[in-house]
């Protein structure tokens, strides 16, 4: 064998190895790829494994197919009550359509400013319809759902799916923080004073109603008592009349005993001729 044969074989083996390695590419489970040939898309692969391409002609652009996080820079917004807030948001997103994505945005680096513009635009518009209290309350979840839906719709044409838009912080600007705090404090004091005044008014109404009811009940009770008393006295007089008509002496004796009982413990100056003392004189 001639001396030049071995080097030639080695060169051919190396060239063959390079050709083989250039003909295939591997995707793992987190990747998806677009194969380009002179800038034209020839295939899109989303499944993991070994894939074929034209060596030295095709180029492979890989994208992550997992959910990605994009942290948007904090921005100022103005709520409906004219209060300025600093909203710090982030977006969870993924490349849903690699072909559309690479046609429209080319790369993730170029896609992020587009996501920033769309999401911040909707955050600013949606949050501007709410007041400060609504933004920092549980209603913010509804606002973010609306922002997510609108952002998802706008970025769909770019092959992007917006999974969620969240707010990390909603703070007052440092220069406005103390002024807003003082205004909120004054508002809370005003509301508390109004609630106390309404409570006192309600208490007075309840007390007046209770006093009126007590007086009515007392008057009714007194009237009923007088009625019962009158009925009892009438019955007693009737019984006395019936009894005394049968025994006049007993009636006189009973009336005299009543007189004695009325002067018990006191003094009574009378003459000897008083008939009421006849029982005392007889004893």
């Amino acid at each position: 064998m001639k001396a030049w044969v071995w080097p030639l074989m080695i060169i051919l083996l190396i060239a063959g190895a390079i050709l083989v390695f250039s003909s295939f590419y591997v995707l793992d489970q987190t990747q998806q790829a677009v194969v380009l040939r002179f800038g034209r898309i020839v295939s899109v692969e989303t499944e993991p494994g070994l894939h074929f391409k034209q060596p030295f002609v095709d180029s492979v652009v890989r994208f992550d197919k997992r959910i990605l996080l994009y942290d948007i820079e904090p921005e100022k917004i103005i709520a409906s009550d004219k209060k300025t807030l600093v909203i710090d948001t982030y977006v969870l997103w993924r490349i849903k359509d690699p072909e559309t994505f690479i046609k429209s945005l080319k790369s993730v680096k170029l896609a992020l400013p587009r996501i920033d513009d769309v999401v911040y635009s909707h955050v600013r518009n949606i949050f501007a319809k709410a007041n400060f209290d609504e933004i920092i309350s549980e209603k913010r979840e509804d606002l973010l759902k609306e922002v997510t839906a609108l952002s998802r719709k706008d970025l769909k044409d770019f092959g992007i799916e917006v999974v969620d838009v969240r707010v990390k912080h909603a703070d007052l600007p440092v220069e406005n923080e103390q002024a807003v705090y003082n205004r909120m404090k004054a508002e809370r004091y005003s509301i508390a004073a109004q609630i106390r005044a309404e409570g006192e008014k309600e208490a007075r109404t309840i007390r007046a109603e209770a006093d009126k009811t007590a007086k009515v009940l007392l008057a009714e009770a007194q009237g009923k008592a007088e009625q019962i008393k009158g009925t009892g006295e009438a019955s007693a007089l009737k019984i006395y009349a019936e009894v005394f008509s049968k025994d006049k002496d007993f009636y006189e004796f009973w009336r005299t005993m009543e007189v004695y009982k009325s002067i018990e413990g006191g003094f009574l100056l009378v003459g000897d001729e008083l008939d009421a003392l006849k029982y005392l004189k007889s004893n």
Side-chain angles (χ1 to χ4, degrees), residues 2 7 10 14 22 34 41-42 49 58 64 67 70 88 95 98 117 119 123 129 133 146 160 169 173 212 220 248:
K2 296 182 179 179
I10 293 173
I14 293 173
S22 299
V34 176
I41 297 174
V42 294
D58 294 346
D64 201 323
I67 295 176
Y70 176 47
D88 190 359
I95 300 172
D117 292 341
V119 174
V123 169
K129 299 176 183 176
D133 291 338
E146 190 173 358
I160 293 175
H169 301 288
K212 178 181 177 182
E220 291 177 353
K248 187 177 180 182

Side-chain angles (χ1 to χ4, degrees), residues 45 143 220:
E45 298 292 344
L143 302 177
E220 291 177 353

Side-chain angles (χ1 to χ4, degrees), residues 22 35-40 42 53-60:
S22 299
V35 179
L36 301 174
R37 184 175 300 163
F38 305 115
R40 182 174 59 86
V42 294
K53 68 181 183 66
Q54 290 289 341
F56 309 116
V57 177
D58 294 346
S59 60
V60 179

Side-chain angles (χ1 to χ4, degrees), residues 256-273:
T256 303
M257 291 298 106
E258 289 294 319
V259 173
Y260 291 168
K261 188 169 64 176
S262 66
I263 63 176
E264 183 179 5
F267 297 96
L268 179 64
L269 298 177
V270 295
D272 294 340
E273 67 280 6

Side-chain angles (χ1 to χ4, degrees), residues 21-36:
F21 283 111
S22 299
S23 301
F24 297 94
Y25 63 96
V26 177
L27 294 178
D28 63 29
Q29 294 181 340
T30 66
Q31 294 178 321
Q32 53 190 342
V34 176
V35 179
L36 301 174

